[in-house]
């Protein structure tokens, strides 16, 4: 199935939704890091959730969804741009025998950051992590932080991360204001494999035969990492000359691996020195000017 996100609208009820399927995008994340299976499951669900949430927002830039915990899994991060370019990563120490959000993450925080880019100010919402699943955690976040009733159904396997989102619109958006509960109950009957295997038109046919639904055009989603040698260079500049020189003295070079895509960037002694020489030269230039 192609990687897509697709919006739909109940024509006569204040309910809207999104359906996402991530195949190649999901596999691109999995081949770059070997995650333990319980972490993989959480990360896949979180990718589907981040894509769904991004699709409901009107903004240009990057949405960053983060779960920070005190359990064996310290950090789960998924980024999705408004053009639906995605990347994801996780950090963990040792894993417990059980899986699931509570066992893996423990006490934690759920944060969503919107970065508009181009130096414009961002926005961050943080709530305590609540709920037994990624879907419940995001539902709680939306209710607490945005006061929007949202429900999510997420499913992953080795090849696919998929999800369905329903959002309750203000009553003025439709005559059938009682449609929210029945729409949720029908979606609750969905099996994970149906969510993974069925495209959006088929899924909506199965769930809402009696409803008049408007399905919008699918939009593509793809894996793309924003790391670059330039960004690593700025990071080394921030780290400072002394620190970088001591790493070079110890190891002969500086190596930085992107935590999202695993791309390695290496700087030998001459290249590392050149970064700081260039910085010194441009600072001297700026002073003369
Ligand atoms: Zn990268």
């Amino acid at each position: 199935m192609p990687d897509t996100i697709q919006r739909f609208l109940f024509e006569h009820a204040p309910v809207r939704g999104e359906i996402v399927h991530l195949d190649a995008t999901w596999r691109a994340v999995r081949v770059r890091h070997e995650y333990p299976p319980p972490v993989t499951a959480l990360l896949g669900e979180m990718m589907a959730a981040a894509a769904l949430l991004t699709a409901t927002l009107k903004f240009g830039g990057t949405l960053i969804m983060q779960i920070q915990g005190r359990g064996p899994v310290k950090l789960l991060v998924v980024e999705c741009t408004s053009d639906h370019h995605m990347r994801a990563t996780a950090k963990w120490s040792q894993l417990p025998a059980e899986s699931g959000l509570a066992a893996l993450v423990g006490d934690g925080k759920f944060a969503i950051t919107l970065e508009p880019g181009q130096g414009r100010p961002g926005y961050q919402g943080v709530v305590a992590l609540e709920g037994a699943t990624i879907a419940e955690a995001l539902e709680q976040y939306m209710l607490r932080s945005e006061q929007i009733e949202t429900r999510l159904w997420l499913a992953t396997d080795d090849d696919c991360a998929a999800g369905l989102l329903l959002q309750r619109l203000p009553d003025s958006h439709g005559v059938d204001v009682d449609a929210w509960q029945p729409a949720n109950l029908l979606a609750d009957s969905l099996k994970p494999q149906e969510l993974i295997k069925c495209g959006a038109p088929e899924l909506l046919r199965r769930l809402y035969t009696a409803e008049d639904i408007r399905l919008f055009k699918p939009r593509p989603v793809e894996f793309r990492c924003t790391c670059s040698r330039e960004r690593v260079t700025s990071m080394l500049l921030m780290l400072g000359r002394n620190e970088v020189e001591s790493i070079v003295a110890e190891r002969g070079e500086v190596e930085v691996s992107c935590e999202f895509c695993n791309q390695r960037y290496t700087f030998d002694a001459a290249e590392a020195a050149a970064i700081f020489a260039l910085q010194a030269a441009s600072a001297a230039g700026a002073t003369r000017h």
Side-chain angles (χ1 to χ4, degrees), residues 87 225-227 258 260-263 265:
R87 60 179 193 167
C225 195
T226 47
C227 69
C258 174
F260 289 94
C261 71
N262 232 354
Q263 170 78 42
Y265 297 93

Side-chain angles (χ1 to χ4, degrees), residues 1 3 22-29 159 223:
M1 212 183 288
D3 290 38
L22 306 174
D23 285 22
T25 309
W26 176 222
R27 286 195 299 269
V29 167
D159 299 312
F223 176 87

Side-chain angles (χ1 to χ4, degrees), residues 244-265:
V244 171
E245 278 176 354
S246 81
I247 298 170
V248 170
E250 193 184 316
R251 297 180 205 162
E253 62 176 18
V254 182
E255 183 184 280
V256 179
S257 294
C258 174
E259 55 190 356
F260 289 94
C261 71
N262 232 354
Q263 170 78 42
R264 284 189 176 79
Y265 297 93

